[in-house]
Amino acid sequence: MEAQPAEPSTFGMLLYRAHRLARAHANDAARPTGIELQHAGVLSAVRAGGIHSQRELGAALGVDKSTLVRIVDDLERRNLVRRERSAADRRAYEIVITEEGERRLAEADELFAEAMTGLLEVFDDADRRRLHDLLSRFVAQES
Protein backbone atom coordinates (compact mmCIF):
# COMPACT_ATOMS: atom_id res chain seq x y z
CA MET A 1 0.00 0.00 0.00
CA GLU A 2 1.36 3.44 -0.96
CA ALA A 3 1.85 6.02 1.78
CA GLN A 4 -0.63 8.88 1.66
CA PRO A 5 0.74 12.43 1.55
CA ALA A 6 0.65 14.29 4.85
CA GLU A 7 -2.17 16.79 5.13
CA PRO A 8 -0.63 20.28 5.59
CA SER A 9 -3.56 21.47 7.70
CA THR A 10 -2.71 18.97 10.46
CA PHE A 11 0.89 20.10 11.05
CA GLY A 12 0.09 23.09 13.23
CA MET A 13 -2.06 21.09 15.62
CA LEU A 14 0.46 18.24 15.78
CA LEU A 15 3.30 20.66 16.55
CA TYR A 16 1.16 22.36 19.20
CA ARG A 17 0.26 19.04 20.83
CA ALA A 18 3.90 17.89 20.70
CA HIS A 19 4.98 21.15 22.34
CA ARG A 20 2.37 20.81 25.11
CA LEU A 21 3.34 17.19 25.75
CA ALA A 22 7.08 17.92 25.88
CA ARG A 23 6.63 21.04 28.03
CA ALA A 24 4.36 19.24 30.51
CA HIS A 25 6.75 16.29 30.87
CA ALA A 26 9.79 18.56 31.26
CA ASN A 27 8.10 20.81 33.81
CA ASP A 28 6.80 17.83 35.81
CA ALA A 29 10.24 16.21 35.82
CA ALA A 30 12.02 19.37 37.01
CA ARG A 31 9.38 20.35 39.57
CA PRO A 32 11.69 19.44 42.53
CA THR A 33 14.13 22.15 41.38
CA GLY A 34 11.46 24.84 41.11
CA ILE A 35 12.62 25.50 37.55
CA GLU A 36 10.22 25.39 34.61
CA LEU A 37 11.19 25.61 30.95
CA GLN A 38 10.38 29.34 30.84
CA HIS A 39 12.79 29.89 33.74
CA ALA A 40 15.42 27.65 32.16
CA GLY A 41 15.27 29.62 28.92
CA VAL A 42 16.03 32.87 30.73
CA LEU A 43 18.68 31.34 32.97
CA SER A 44 20.39 29.58 30.04
CA ALA A 45 20.47 32.75 27.94
CA VAL A 46 21.95 34.75 30.83
CA ARG A 47 24.48 32.02 31.61
CA ALA A 48 25.59 31.86 27.97
CA GLY A 49 26.64 35.50 28.13
CA GLY A 50 26.55 38.13 25.44
CA ILE A 51 23.17 39.37 26.66
CA HIS A 52 23.47 42.31 28.97
CA SER A 53 20.13 44.06 29.28
CA GLN A 54 16.60 42.91 29.91
CA ARG A 55 15.70 44.33 26.49
CA GLU A 56 18.37 42.18 24.78
CA LEU A 57 17.20 39.16 26.73
CA GLY A 58 13.58 39.63 25.65
CA ALA A 59 14.62 40.05 22.01
CA ALA A 60 16.87 36.97 22.09
CA LEU A 61 14.13 34.79 23.59
CA GLY A 62 11.23 36.27 21.64
CA VAL A 63 9.45 37.11 24.88
CA ASP A 64 7.40 40.27 25.30
CA LYS A 65 8.51 42.81 27.90
CA SER A 66 5.76 42.21 30.47
CA THR A 67 6.18 38.42 30.39
CA LEU A 68 9.94 38.72 30.72
CA VAL A 69 9.65 41.13 33.66
CA ARG A 70 7.32 38.66 35.41
CA ILE A 71 9.75 35.77 34.84
CA VAL A 72 12.82 37.77 35.94
CA ASP A 73 10.96 39.08 39.01
CA ASP A 74 10.10 35.48 39.93
CA LEU A 75 13.71 34.34 39.44
CA GLU A 76 15.01 37.30 41.44
CA ARG A 77 12.61 36.59 44.35
CA ARG A 78 14.04 33.06 44.47
CA ASN A 79 17.64 34.32 44.37
CA LEU A 80 18.33 32.68 41.01
CA VAL A 81 19.21 35.95 39.26
CA ARG A 82 19.91 39.50 40.32
CA ARG A 83 19.62 42.81 38.53
CA GLU A 84 22.71 44.99 38.49
CA ARG A 85 23.15 48.48 37.09
CA SER A 86 24.92 48.32 33.75
CA ALA A 87 28.43 49.73 33.75
CA ALA A 88 27.95 50.80 30.12
CA ASP A 89 24.52 52.42 30.61
CA ARG A 90 23.55 53.47 34.13
CA ARG A 91 19.86 53.67 33.05
CA ALA A 92 19.79 49.95 32.23
CA TYR A 93 19.99 46.81 34.33
CA GLU A 94 21.91 43.65 33.54
CA ILE A 95 20.52 40.28 34.57
CA VAL A 96 23.13 38.12 36.31
CA ILE A 97 22.68 34.46 37.24
CA THR A 98 23.52 33.64 40.86
CA GLU A 99 25.39 30.59 42.15
CA GLU A 100 22.06 29.18 43.31
CA GLY A 101 20.63 29.82 39.83
CA GLU A 102 23.57 27.98 38.25
CA ARG A 103 23.14 25.02 40.59
CA ARG A 104 19.38 24.71 40.15
CA LEU A 105 19.60 25.16 36.37
CA ALA A 106 22.15 22.33 36.15
CA GLU A 107 19.82 20.08 38.16
CA ALA A 108 16.82 21.03 36.03
CA ASP A 109 18.75 20.49 32.78
CA GLU A 110 19.47 16.89 33.81
CA LEU A 111 15.82 16.30 34.64
CA PHE A 112 14.66 17.93 31.38
CA ALA A 113 17.01 15.65 29.43
CA GLU A 114 15.70 12.55 31.24
CA ALA A 115 12.10 13.58 30.52
CA MET A 116 12.83 14.09 26.81
CA THR A 117 14.73 10.80 26.62
CA GLY A 118 11.65 9.05 28.01
CA LEU A 119 9.31 10.74 25.54
CA LEU A 120 11.57 9.95 22.60
CA GLU A 121 11.71 6.22 23.39
CA VAL A 122 8.95 5.71 20.80
CA PHE A 123 11.64 6.40 18.15
CA ASP A 124 14.79 4.49 17.28
CA ASP A 125 18.13 6.35 17.03
CA ALA A 126 17.74 7.07 13.31
CA ASP A 127 14.23 8.47 13.85
CA ARG A 128 15.46 10.69 16.72
CA ARG A 129 18.27 12.08 14.53
CA ARG A 130 15.85 12.64 11.66
CA LEU A 131 13.30 14.35 13.92
CA HIS A 132 16.02 16.59 15.35
CA ASP A 133 17.25 17.48 11.86
CA LEU A 134 13.74 18.20 10.59
CA LEU A 135 12.80 20.36 13.58
CA SER A 136 16.13 22.22 13.37
CA ARG A 137 15.47 23.06 9.72
CA PHE A 138 11.89 24.02 10.52
CA VAL A 139 12.79 26.50 13.27
CA ALA A 140 15.71 27.90 11.25
CA GLN A 141 13.07 29.73 9.19
CA GLU A 142 12.61 32.01 12.20
CA SER A 143 16.04 33.58 11.70
Side-chain angles (χ1 to χ4, degrees), residues 51-54 56 82-96:
I51 295 176
H52 301 290
S53 70
Q54 224 170 264
E56 291 172 338
R82 65 180 178 278
R83 290 177 171 101
E84 295 179 353
R85 285 273 184 205
S86 170
D89 181 357
R90 299 300 292 165
R91 297 168 296 172
Y93 286 93
E94 293 183 9
I95 308 302
V96 178

PDB file of all heavy atoms in Angstrom, residues 51-54 56 82-96:
ATOM      1  N   ILE A  51      24.407  38.617  26.460  1.00  0.00           N
ATOM      2  CA  ILE A  51      23.169  39.369  26.664  1.00  0.00           C
ATOM      3  C   ILE A  51      23.354  40.164  27.942  1.00  0.00           C
ATOM      4  O   ILE A  51      23.660  39.605  28.990  1.00  0.00           O
ATOM      5  CB  ILE A  51      21.954  38.427  26.773  1.00  0.00           C
ATOM      6  CG1 ILE A  51      21.752  37.719  25.445  1.00  0.00           C
ATOM      7  CG2 ILE A  51      20.722  39.206  27.187  1.00  0.00           C
ATOM      8  CD1 ILE A  51      20.657  36.696  25.448  1.00  0.00           C
ATOM      9  N   HIS A  52      23.189  41.473  27.817  1.00  0.00           N
ATOM     10  CA  HIS A  52      23.474  42.312  28.972  1.00  0.00           C
ATOM     11  C   HIS A  52      22.240  42.979  29.567  1.00  0.00           C
ATOM     12  O   HIS A  52      22.173  43.144  30.777  1.00  0.00           O
ATOM     13  CB  HIS A  52      24.522  43.363  28.607  1.00  0.00           C
ATOM     14  CG  HIS A  52      25.799  42.747  28.131  1.00  0.00           C
ATOM     15  ND1 HIS A  52      26.660  42.068  28.964  1.00  0.00           N
ATOM     16  CD2 HIS A  52      26.334  42.648  26.898  1.00  0.00           C
ATOM     17  CE1 HIS A  52      27.685  41.608  28.261  1.00  0.00           C
ATOM     18  NE2 HIS A  52      27.501  41.948  26.996  1.00  0.00           N
ATOM     19  N   SER A  53      21.290  43.354  28.748  1.00  0.00           N
ATOM     20  CA  SER A  53      20.131  44.064  29.285  1.00  0.00           C
ATOM     21  C   SER A  53      18.887  43.202  29.203  1.00  0.00           C
ATOM     22  O   SER A  53      18.835  42.207  28.472  1.00  0.00           O
ATOM     23  CB  SER A  53      19.889  45.357  28.503  1.00  0.00           C
ATOM     24  OG  SER A  53      19.430  45.061  27.196  1.00  0.00           O
ATOM     25  N   GLN A  54      17.870  43.609  29.952  1.00  0.00           N
ATOM     26  CA  GLN A  54      16.598  42.912  29.915  1.00  0.00           C
ATOM     27  C   GLN A  54      16.007  43.020  28.510  1.00  0.00           C
ATOM     28  O   GLN A  54      15.395  42.075  28.019  1.00  0.00           O
ATOM     29  CB  GLN A  54      15.659  43.537  30.957  1.00  0.00           C
ATOM     30  CG  GLN A  54      14.912  42.518  31.753  1.00  0.00           C
ATOM     31  CD  GLN A  54      14.179  43.113  32.923  1.00  0.00           C
ATOM     32  OE1 GLN A  54      14.706  43.106  34.027  1.00  0.00           O
ATOM     33  NE2 GLN A  54      12.987  43.604  32.705  1.00  0.00           N
ATOM     34  N   GLU A  56      17.665  43.157  25.626  1.00  0.00           N
ATOM     35  CA  GLU A  56      18.367  42.178  24.776  1.00  0.00           C
ATOM     36  C   GLU A  56      17.890  40.762  25.073  1.00  0.00           C
ATOM     37  O   GLU A  56      17.734  39.950  24.162  1.00  0.00           O
ATOM     38  CB  GLU A  56      19.878  42.262  24.999  1.00  0.00           C
ATOM     39  CG  GLU A  56      20.531  43.509  24.495  1.00  0.00           C
ATOM     40  CD  GLU A  56      21.996  43.618  24.907  1.00  0.00           C
ATOM     41  OE1 GLU A  56      22.408  42.975  25.895  1.00  0.00           O
ATOM     42  OE2 GLU A  56      22.723  44.346  24.223  1.00  0.00           O
ATOM     43  N   ARG A  82      19.989  38.175  39.703  1.00  0.00           N
ATOM     44  CA  ARG A  82      19.910  39.501  40.319  1.00  0.00           C
ATOM     45  C   ARG A  82      20.066  40.536  39.209  1.00  0.00           C
ATOM     46  O   ARG A  82      20.664  40.274  38.170  1.00  0.00           O
ATOM     47  CB  ARG A  82      20.942  39.691  41.418  1.00  0.00           C
ATOM     48  CG  ARG A  82      22.374  39.686  40.981  1.00  0.00           C
ATOM     49  CD  ARG A  82      23.343  39.894  42.172  1.00  0.00           C
ATOM     50  NE  ARG A  82      24.702  39.833  41.701  1.00  0.00           N
ATOM     51  CZ  ARG A  82      25.392  38.715  41.492  1.00  0.00           C
ATOM     52  NH1 ARG A  82      24.845  37.547  41.776  1.00  0.00           N
ATOM     53  NH2 ARG A  82      26.623  38.753  41.044  1.00  0.00           N
ATOM     54  N   ARG A  83      19.484  41.694  39.461  1.00  0.00           N
ATOM     55  CA  ARG A  83      19.619  42.811  38.526  1.00  0.00           C
ATOM     56  C   ARG A  83      20.724  43.712  39.044  1.00  0.00           C
ATOM     57  O   ARG A  83      20.760  44.043  40.220  1.00  0.00           O
ATOM     58  CB  ARG A  83      18.322  43.602  38.441  1.00  0.00           C
ATOM     59  CG  ARG A  83      17.185  42.885  37.748  1.00  0.00           C
ATOM     60  CD  ARG A  83      15.928  43.757  37.795  1.00  0.00           C
ATOM     61  NE  ARG A  83      14.852  43.242  36.990  1.00  0.00           N
ATOM     62  CZ  ARG A  83      13.808  42.565  37.482  1.00  0.00           C
ATOM     63  NH1 ARG A  83      13.734  42.295  38.780  1.00  0.00           N
ATOM     64  NH2 ARG A  83      12.858  42.153  36.681  1.00  0.00           N
ATOM     65  N   GLU A  84      21.619  44.080  38.136  1.00  0.00           N
ATOM     66  CA  GLU A  84      22.709  44.992  38.493  1.00  0.00           C
ATOM     67  C   GLU A  84      22.708  46.147  37.502  1.00  0.00           C
ATOM     68  O   GLU A  84      22.453  45.949  36.311  1.00  0.00           O
ATOM     69  CB  GLU A  84      24.068  44.281  38.418  1.00  0.00           C
ATOM     70  CG  GLU A  84      24.242  43.170  39.420  1.00  0.00           C
ATOM     71  CD  GLU A  84      25.597  42.481  39.296  1.00  0.00           C
ATOM     72  OE1 GLU A  84      26.360  42.777  38.349  1.00  0.00           O
ATOM     73  OE2 GLU A  84      25.877  41.625  40.150  1.00  0.00           O
ATOM     74  N   ARG A  85      23.020  47.331  37.987  1.00  0.00           N
ATOM     75  CA  ARG A  85      23.147  48.482  37.086  1.00  0.00           C
ATOM     76  C   ARG A  85      24.238  48.183  36.062  1.00  0.00           C
ATOM     77  O   ARG A  85      25.301  47.663  36.386  1.00  0.00           O
ATOM     78  CB  ARG A  85      23.543  49.742  37.854  1.00  0.00           C
ATOM     79  CG  ARG A  85      22.433  50.345  38.650  1.00  0.00           C
ATOM     80  CD  ARG A  85      21.637  51.283  37.785  1.00  0.00           C
ATOM     81  NE  ARG A  85      20.630  51.933  38.599  1.00  0.00           N
ATOM     82  CZ  ARG A  85      19.523  52.418  38.119  1.00  0.00           C
ATOM     83  NH1 ARG A  85      19.271  52.344  36.833  1.00  0.00           N
ATOM     84  NH2 ARG A  85      18.664  52.976  38.910  1.00  0.00           N
ATOM     85  N   SER A  86      23.954  48.521  34.822  1.00  0.00           N
ATOM     86  CA  SER A  86      24.920  48.318  33.745  1.00  0.00           C
ATOM     87  C   SER A  86      26.054  49.319  33.861  1.00  0.00           C
ATOM     88  O   SER A  86      25.827  50.513  34.075  1.00  0.00           O
ATOM     89  CB  SER A  86      24.220  48.494  32.393  1.00  0.00           C
ATOM     90  OG  SER A  86      25.160  48.540  31.359  1.00  0.00           O
ATOM     91  N   ALA A  87      27.271  48.844  33.731  1.00  0.00           N
ATOM     92  CA  ALA A  87      28.434  49.734  33.746  1.00  0.00           C
ATOM     93  C   ALA A  87      28.462  50.599  32.491  1.00  0.00           C
ATOM     94  O   ALA A  87      28.938  51.732  32.520  1.00  0.00           O
ATOM     95  CB  ALA A  87      29.720  48.917  33.852  1.00  0.00           C
ATOM     96  N   ALA A  88      27.930  50.072  31.393  1.00  0.00           N
ATOM     97  CA  ALA A  88      27.952  50.799  30.122  1.00  0.00           C
ATOM     98  C   ALA A  88      26.817  51.819  30.021  1.00  0.00           C
ATOM     99  O   ALA A  88      26.961  52.838  29.349  1.00  0.00           O
ATOM    100  CB  ALA A  88      27.859  49.818  28.964  1.00  0.00           C
ATOM    101  N   ASP A  89      25.686  51.542  30.680  1.00  0.00           N
ATOM    102  CA  ASP A  89      24.521  52.419  30.611  1.00  0.00           C
ATOM    103  C   ASP A  89      23.826  52.407  31.964  1.00  0.00           C
ATOM    104  O   ASP A  89      23.087  51.491  32.278  1.00  0.00           O
ATOM    105  CB  ASP A  89      23.576  51.941  29.504  1.00  0.00           C
ATOM    106  CG  ASP A  89      22.334  52.811  29.353  1.00  0.00           C
ATOM    107  OD1 ASP A  89      22.150  53.766  30.142  1.00  0.00           O
ATOM    108  OD2 ASP A  89      21.547  52.535  28.439  1.00  0.00           O
ATOM    109  N   ARG A  90      24.062  53.425  32.751  1.00  0.00           N
ATOM    110  CA  ARG A  90      23.545  53.469  34.125  1.00  0.00           C
ATOM    111  C   ARG A  90      22.018  53.467  34.192  1.00  0.00           C
ATOM    112  O   ARG A  90      21.441  53.267  35.247  1.00  0.00           O
ATOM    113  CB  ARG A  90      24.096  54.698  34.859  1.00  0.00           C
ATOM    114  CG  ARG A  90      25.615  54.729  34.990  1.00  0.00           C
ATOM    115  CD  ARG A  90      26.180  53.563  35.752  1.00  0.00           C
ATOM    116  NE  ARG A  90      25.820  53.610  37.158  1.00  0.00           N
ATOM    117  CZ  ARG A  90      25.934  52.594  37.990  1.00  0.00           C
ATOM    118  NH1 ARG A  90      26.415  51.456  37.583  1.00  0.00           N
ATOM    119  NH2 ARG A  90      25.583  52.713  39.245  1.00  0.00           N
ATOM    120  N   ARG A  91      21.339  53.706  33.059  1.00  0.00           N
ATOM    121  CA  ARG A  91      19.862  53.669  33.049  1.00  0.00           C
ATOM    122  C   ARG A  91      19.357  52.239  32.933  1.00  0.00           C
ATOM    123  O   ARG A  91      18.195  51.966  33.214  1.00  0.00           O
ATOM    124  CB  ARG A  91      19.312  54.484  31.865  1.00  0.00           C
ATOM    125  CG  ARG A  91      19.671  55.966  31.939  1.00  0.00           C
ATOM    126  CD  ARG A  91      19.365  56.615  30.624  1.00  0.00           C
ATOM    127  NE  ARG A  91      20.239  55.995  29.614  1.00  0.00           N
ATOM    128  CZ  ARG A  91      20.158  56.202  28.315  1.00  0.00           C
ATOM    129  NH1 ARG A  91      19.252  57.001  27.827  1.00  0.00           N
ATOM    130  NH2 ARG A  91      20.987  55.606  27.482  1.00  0.00           N
ATOM    131  N   ALA A  92      20.204  51.329  32.504  1.00  0.00           N
ATOM    132  CA  ALA A  92      19.790  49.949  32.233  1.00  0.00           C
ATOM    133  C   ALA A  92      20.269  49.002  33.334  1.00  0.00           C
ATOM    134  O   ALA A  92      21.204  49.303  34.070  1.00  0.00           O
ATOM    135  CB  ALA A  92      20.359  49.503  30.893  1.00  0.00           C
ATOM    136  N   TYR A  93      19.608  47.876  33.406  1.00  0.00           N
ATOM    137  CA  TYR A  93      19.993  46.813  34.327  1.00  0.00           C
ATOM    138  C   TYR A  93      20.454  45.599  33.540  1.00  0.00           C
ATOM    139  O   TYR A  93      19.907  45.281  32.498  1.00  0.00           O
ATOM    140  CB  TYR A  93      18.820  46.392  35.220  1.00  0.00           C
ATOM    141  CG  TYR A  93      18.503  47.386  36.295  1.00  0.00           C
ATOM    142  CD1 TYR A  93      17.551  48.379  36.100  1.00  0.00           C
ATOM    143  CD2 TYR A  93      19.161  47.329  37.513  1.00  0.00           C
ATOM    144  CE1 TYR A  93      17.260  49.286  37.087  1.00  0.00           C
ATOM    145  CE2 TYR A  93      18.878  48.243  38.518  1.00  0.00           C
ATOM    146  CZ  TYR A  93      17.922  49.214  38.293  1.00  0.00           C
ATOM    147  OH  TYR A  93      17.644  50.120  39.282  1.00  0.00           O
ATOM    148  N   GLU A  94      21.473  44.940  34.076  1.00  0.00           N
ATOM    149  CA  GLU A  94      21.910  43.651  33.540  1.00  0.00           C
ATOM    150  C   GLU A  94      21.339  42.561  34.436  1.00  0.00           C
ATOM    151  O   GLU A  94      21.208  42.736  35.640  1.00  0.00           O
ATOM    152  CB  GLU A  94      23.439  43.564  33.526  1.00  0.00           C
ATOM    153  CG  GLU A  94      24.086  44.515  32.554  1.00  0.00           C
ATOM    154  CD  GLU A  94      25.603  44.383  32.497  1.00  0.00           C
ATOM    155  OE1 GLU A  94      26.147  43.426  33.092  1.00  0.00           O
ATOM    156  OE2 GLU A  94      26.213  45.232  31.850  1.00  0.00           O
ATOM    157  N   ILE A  95      21.005  41.438  33.822  1.00  0.00           N
ATOM    158  CA  ILE A  95      20.522  40.282  34.574  1.00  0.00           C
ATOM    159  C   ILE A  95      21.711  39.341  34.741  1.00  0.00           C
ATOM    160  O   ILE A  95      22.368  38.977  33.772  1.00  0.00           O
ATOM    161  CB  ILE A  95      19.385  39.563  33.814  1.00  0.00           C
ATOM    162  CG1 ILE A  95      18.286  40.540  33.403  1.00  0.00           C
ATOM    163  CG2 ILE A  95      18.834  38.415  34.647  1.00  0.00           C
ATOM    164  CD1 ILE A  95      17.653  41.290  34.530  1.00  0.00           C
ATOM    165  N   VAL A  96      21.981  38.957  35.987  1.00  0.00           N
ATOM    166  CA  VAL A  96      23.134  38.120  36.309  1.00  0.00           C
ATOM    167  C   VAL A  96      22.628  36.869  37.026  1.00  0.00           C
ATOM    168  O   VAL A  96      21.851  36.964  37.976  1.00  0.00           O
ATOM    169  CB  VAL A  96      24.134  38.888  37.213  1.00  0.00           C
ATOM    170  CG1 VAL A  96      25.308  38.006  37.593  1.00  0.00           C
ATOM    171  CG2 VAL A  96      24.593  40.175  36.539  1.00  0.00           C
TER     172      VAL A  96
END
